[in-house]
Amino acid sequence: MILSGAMALCWPEWFIALNQGSIMVLVLAFVMLCMGLTLTLDDFRRIARMPRAVGIGFAAQYSIMPLLGWGVAHALNLPPHFAVGLILVGCCPGGTASNLVTYIAGADVALSVVMTVCSTMAAIILTPLLTQLLVGAMVPVDTWMLFKQTLQVVIIPVVLGVLLNRWVPRAVAEVMPVAPLLSVIGVCFICAVVFAANAEAILAYGGELVLATALLHGGGFLMGYSFAQMLGYQGQSARTISIEVGMQNSGLAIVLAKQAFPLLPLAPVVGAVSAVMHSLLGSLLAVIWRTRVPRLPQVKVPAP
């Protein structure tokens, strides 16, 4: 992610020609399709076996992050284009990278997957509504456009991926080894295109954007963990909820900002910086948690 961003800033001419809405939508739809390929109907059945933990994570996702985005934007007195982009990031569902970071952290991967699926499915309603509520006072919000875009690039690809996993499992099994890598490349591509198209603005306002996204995601990790502990969850579950809350689907925020706010061309920049920031903070947090997980002593079994 850092390498692709640096390349886009140093050689923007390589990516500027690709700065088209249709290409970005198709790439994000492909990323979400890859996510859908990793899911089965059993993943949805897990919701019934862990409803409280999923509900807590879901509530934290769509309360802490939108309000935190709004609060940080106003506290830093961000200009409208950056404020809208930051709030939109906060209103998006959990990011697909959260499942990998949860695995690295030694937390509950199954819970992470279920939470990502739930927040992603709910995004079709909650992301447009929360954006309208928090951004509407600053700029006009086309809620119907946000709704259609979310349906197009999130729900349809994910559902298609789940169905393909059920109908043609052998073909999906052959694709799965490279699907995560392709997803990462897709998100890096989206961020690089946005970086290249707005290289001057990023270089000029880089410090402000880094601070805003660091406060958003850092606050999300901290508040998500505290929220889980406050409601009685410790260890793996608290870490999972923290990661799920702190990591957003920044690729979706980029595409939605580009499509729904054409008069704010710098709004997608926040999503690109956000993708780098939550990847760095999430990975660092995962390594810290993994190294601090108490390891059980090995018990030697006497030979018979």
Side-chain angles (χ1 to χ4, degrees):
M1 188 70 73
I2 295 174
L3 180 61
S4 64
M7 290 174 60
L9 292 177
C10 294
W11 301 287
E13 63 276 6
W14 293 2
F15 302 92
I16 287 179
L18 301 173
N19 187 29
Q20 301 178 25
S22 58
I23 295 178
M24 306 279 271
V25 169
L26 288 174
V27 172
L28 181 62
F30 173 76
V31 171
M32 299 309 297
L33 174 63
C34 290
M35 174 188 169
L37 292 176
T38 67
L39 303 175
T40 66
L41 295 180
D42 288 336
D43 292 316
F44 294 92
R45 296 190 184 102
R46 293 177 191 168
I47 298 173
R49 297 198 289 269
M50 51 180 77
R52 187 170 182 269
V54 173
I56 289 172
F58 185 88
Q61 174 71 55
Y62 282 114
S63 60
I64 291 174
M65 294 305 284
L67 293 175
L68 196 56
W70 182 88
V72 170
H74 282 75
L76 297 181
N77 196 25
L78 295 178
H81 42 264
F82 290 151
V84 169
L86 191 70
I87 294 172
L88 184 55
V89 170
C91 293
C92 282
T96 54
S98 63
N99 307 143
L100 174 60
V101 172
T102 299
Y103 173 77
I104 296 172
D108 191 336
V109 178
L111 176 60
S112 176
V113 170
V114 172
M115 287 177 58
T116 301
V117 172
C118 289
S119 66
T120 299
M121 293 301 181
I124 188 173
I125 301 295
L126 293 181
T127 295
L129 290 182
L130 289 170
T131 304
Q132 167 67 45
L133 178 66
L134 297 174
V135 174
M138 292 187 288
V139 296
V141 179
D142 190 341
T143 309
W144 177 242
M145 168 67 76
L146 284 173
F147 173 84
K148 290 193 297 182
Q149 286 296 320
T150 309
L151 176 67
Q152 181 180 357
V153 300
V154 174
I155 304 302
I156 293 177
V158 170
V159 171
L160 178 60
V162 174
L163 294 177
L164 288 174
N165 200 355
R166 181 174 179 82
W167 292 337
V168 285
R170 291 185 178 180
V172 171
E174 293 180 0
V175 174
M176 279 311 301
V178 297
L181 176 61
L182 294 176
S183 297
V184 171
I185 293 174
V187 174
C188 289
F189 169 82
I190 292 174
C191 293
V193 170
V194 173
F195 271 49
N198 304 278
E200 292 185 7
I202 292 175
L203 294 174
Y205 300 99
E208 193 174 16
L209 292 171
V210 167
L211 176 60
T213 54
L215 289 174
L216 174 65
H217 295 293
F221 288 124
L222 177 60
M223 296 175 71
Y225 189 79
S226 301
F227 186 73
Q229 285 194 319
M230 183 177 66
L231 295 177
Y233 284 91
Q234 304 290 333
Q236 287 187 330
S237 296
R239 294 170 184 168
T240 304
I241 292 173
S242 170
I243 293 169
E244 198 66 30
V245 172
M247 300 191 71
Q248 298 295 91
N249 192 333
S250 301
L252 176 62
I254 292 172
V255 172
L256 292 182
K258 191 173 181 61
Q259 298 292 321
F261 300 103
L263 299 180
L264 299 174
L266 294 181
V269 173
V270 184
V273 178
S274 163
V276 178
M277 182 57 65
H278 78 66
S279 298
L280 290 175
L281 292 180
S283 300
L284 176 62
L285 187 61
V287 171
I288 292 174
W289 270 335
R290 188 177 185 88
T291 56
R292 293 180 58 186
V293 172
R295 298 184 181 276
L296 297 176
Q298 292 184 353
V299 178
K300 293 184 179 180
V301 180

